[in-house]
Amino acid sequence: MANSILSSLTSVFTSSGFTAITWQSCVMWALALGLLYLAIKKKFEPLLLLPIAFGIISANLPMTGLMEPGHGLLWQFYAYGIKSEVIPPIIFLGLGALTDFGPMLSQPRLIFLGAGAQVGVFVTFFGAHLIGFNLSEAATIGIIGGADGPTTIFLATKWAPHLLGTVAVAAYSYMALVPLIQPPIMKLMTSEEERKIRMKPSRKVHPLEKILFPIISAMLLILLIPASAPLMAMFMLGNLFRESKVVERLVEASQNELMNIATIFLGVSVGATMNAENFLSPKVIFVFFLGLAAFGVSTASGILIAKGINLFSKDKINPLLGAAGVSAVPMAARVVHKVGTEADKRNYLLMYAMAPNIAGVIGTLIAAGVFVSLLK
Amino acid sequence: MEEVRAPMSGNVWKIDCAEGDTVSLDDAVIVMEVMKMEAEVFATADGTVAEIKVKEGQAVEEGDLLITINT
């Protein structure tokens, strides 16, 4: 009797997951716990890092079949949500509904700063390729420099799915670290005098301009780079919802319910792709390093473009605004404002910084579209 | 009479002065909230606060009059 109880207990134990734990899964759990700490305690992009981290924990539990192709639960979230390229465009619909293009339309020349920040994306692309990543991996790593989560995920899924979790974690961590990464570069590259430059008051934007902008720019940009269509079309549709002022319910749904639901499935399935096999390779260290470099170069090139414009223009641009060209919205704009007020407490750069910031989002979308067409 | 105007569009978060208070140039008199960020608005001259034109929580546009100061 005692014997048979013992043997059934043993069989419960041997069929449990405990016997199948490997050191690799322990490393992944430790990483996930670290991310949970950053998300919960330090409030690092918690809306994404928290579900990503839990996805990592779940997917690295042995014998669950959660990521088994065909019927695993998390695999189905991944396959139908991300691999099918549905969720990132839905997130962009919400971002469009949240975005006010007003500051950008009132200072159109600041758009160039948003374009300038894409230099980091391409420099890192070439850099990553030089040190041995293939073209599609290099493109995926470069786009981290654009500081745009959904775009990074979109591109990674298409071209380097084995790097998906890694680049997503790198992108979201660096976005949370923008207030630490950017200011030293910004201060190094500008003089006290330049940081004190005050911008001219911006012109008022007519409501009709705001309605026409998403329609016209969606058509023009998609005609120019057809591969950017899935993200661009949804982004501009969301913005048209907002600016038309006649579909308040759709604006609310896009900004809140729809985007929140999409974010849950995005986070957990991105996390679930991070298994030990994909993540515990020396390449990953390079991905994080190159991603950081991409951020730095993007920040610097935005500032340089602003200084370049100042050589020719009578109305000087505060070069700090160039740093807002990375599309971490609105974090990068806040950082610009903060560094600006340190030099002159009456210099209110926030709304001006939103111009390159928003332009940076469009710029990163275009850069992703360029990569997709190049790699075809 | 000096005027303190809103440097950006946003909400009045905190009013750090009362009518009749003595203020000096560059004292923070109002804290605004713009895109979840606090931004201080400073007195434009030495003097006494003549009139506060806004309430806490009120939405203001760039250039709206916030406070007048008797110099």
Side-chain angles (χ1 to χ4, degrees):
Chain A
M1 180 66 183
N3 243 352
S4 77
I5 291 175
L6 192 67
S7 77
S8 48
L9 279 180
T10 323
S11 85
V12 167
F13 180 75
T14 49
S15 66
S16 78
F18 285 102
T19 53
I21 296 176
T22 58
W23 69 266
Q24 286 94 336
S25 23
C26 293
V27 175
M28 295 310 291
W29 292 333
L31 172 88
L33 290 174
L35 291 176
L36 280 178
Y37 172 80
L38 292 177
I40 296 170
K41 181 80 183 168
K42 300 276 177 191
K43 307 240 162 48
F44 272 27
E45 301 283 329
L47 294 177
L48 283 141
L49 286 186
L50 194 145
I52 288 179
F54 205 83
I56 298 175
I57 295 182
S58 315
N60 285 285
L61 288 165
M63 298 158 72
T64 59
L66 283 173
M67 276 304 276
E68 199 168 304
H71 47 263
L73 177 72
L74 296 184
W75 182 88
Q76 296 193 56
F77 291 167
Y78 171 70
Y80 297 114
I82 297 189
K83 201 158 182 293
S84 63
E85 297 171 11
V86 169
I87 287 182
I90 290 178
I91 301 233
F92 261 95
L93 179 76
L95 293 176
L98 282 163
T99 299
D100 176 8
F101 282 113
M104 193 180 95
L105 294 172
S106 71
Q107 299 266 343
R109 64 185 182 146
L110 297 182
I111 293 173
F112 292 107
L113 309 186
Q118 309 314 316
V119 172
V121 171
F122 290 97
V123 167
T124 312
F125 166 68
F126 289 115
H129 187 51
L130 273 181
I131 65 169
F133 286 94
N134 66 36
L135 286 176
S136 35
E137 289 172 333
T140 305
I141 296 166
I143 208 79
I144 297 175
D148 190 289
T151 309
T152 308
I153 289 167
F154 185 80
L155 201 66
T157 313
K158 240 183 160 79
W159 297 107
H162 58 289
L163 289 180
L164 173 60
T166 310
V167 291
V169 168
Y172 285 114
S173 319
Y174 289 147
M175 264 181 253
L177 290 172
V178 156
L180 294 179
I181 298 172
Q182 288 199 310
I185 303 172
M186 293 157 74
K187 286 178 190 163
L188 189 73
M189 294 194 55
T190 52
S191 66
E192 180 86 13
E193 289 311 303
E194 287 175 317
R195 293 200 286 277
K196 284 186 176 160
I197 295 176
R198 292 207 190 161
M199 300 293 292
K200 281 215 317 207
S202 39
R203 68 177 187 93
K204 284 256 180 297
V205 177
H206 193 275
L208 185 61
E209 290 176 69
K210 289 189 171 185
I211 294 178
L212 289 177
F213 179 79
I215 305 172
I216 295 172
S217 59
M219 292 173 69
L220 280 182
L221 294 171
I222 294 173
L223 282 171
L224 188 66
I225 306 174
S228 70
L231 300 178
M232 194 71 81
M234 297 311 280
F235 188 46
M236 295 304 175
L237 173 62
N239 192 249
L240 185 58
F241 282 169
R242 174 197 175 96
E243 300 303 345
S244 69
K245 312 273 189 213
V246 291
V247 287
E248 199 45 47
R249 285 164 38 168
L250 305 188
V251 177
E252 301 254 316
S254 319
Q255 288 179 338
N256 302 307
E257 293 85 355
L258 192 56
M259 184 140 128
N260 292 345
I261 292 167
T263 302
I264 294 172
F265 290 109
L266 179 84
V268 76
S269 23
V270 163
T273 64
M274 282 181 77
N275 53 38
E277 195 186 332
N278 282 343
F279 190 76
L280 296 179
S281 89
K283 269 189 174 178
V284 165
I285 296 170
F286 284 105
V287 172
F288 273 86
F289 178 73
L290 287 164
L292 183 62
F295 247 84
V297 177
S298 291
T299 305
S301 58
I303 294 172
L304 285 177
I305 300 263
K307 290 184 169 212
I309 296 175
N310 281 352
L311 292 179
F312 303 101
S313 169
K314 262 208 312 225
D315 294 329
K316 301 294 182 210
I317 297 175
N318 188 314
L320 291 176
L321 294 174
V326 302
S327 39
V329 178
M331 191 88 86
R334 289 185 193 151
V335 169
V336 168
H337 180 82
K338 211 160 156 280
V339 177
T341 49
E342 282 170 21
D344 168 7
K345 65 177 181 174
R346 288 171 185 274
N347 203 357
Y348 299 91
L349 291 173
L350 185 60
M351 291 321 278
Y352 299 101
M354 284 309 287
N357 213 188
I358 300 296
V361 177
I362 300 179
T364 307
L365 278 183
I366 293 175
V370 168
F371 279 138
V372 172
S373 353
L374 279 180
L375 294 170
K376 243 173 206 161
Chain B
M1 189 78 82
E2 273 289 328
E3 293 174 333
V4 179
R5 292 181 175 274
M8 297 185 275
S9 304
N11 293 306
V12 176
W13 182 250
K14 264 192 325 217
I15 298 176
D16 281 339
C17 62
E19 286 174 7
D21 278 5
T22 311
V23 292
S24 330
L25 176 69
D26 283 352
D27 281 356
V29 284
I30 279 190
V31 184
M32 286 183 57
E33 185 266 329
V34 183
M35 290 172 36
K36 308 259 159 71
M37 194 174 185
E38 289 180 18
E40 292 179 315
V41 183
F42 303 97
T44 43
D46 296 335
T48 53
V49 177
E51 198 178 353
I52 299 174
K53 301 274 193 187
V54 289
K55 292 194 179 66
E56 289 187 358
Q58 185 179 331
V60 291
E61 294 279 315
E62 182 180 340
D64 282 359
L65 186 59
L66 303 175
I67 284 177
T68 53
I69 298 174
N70 268 330
T71 50

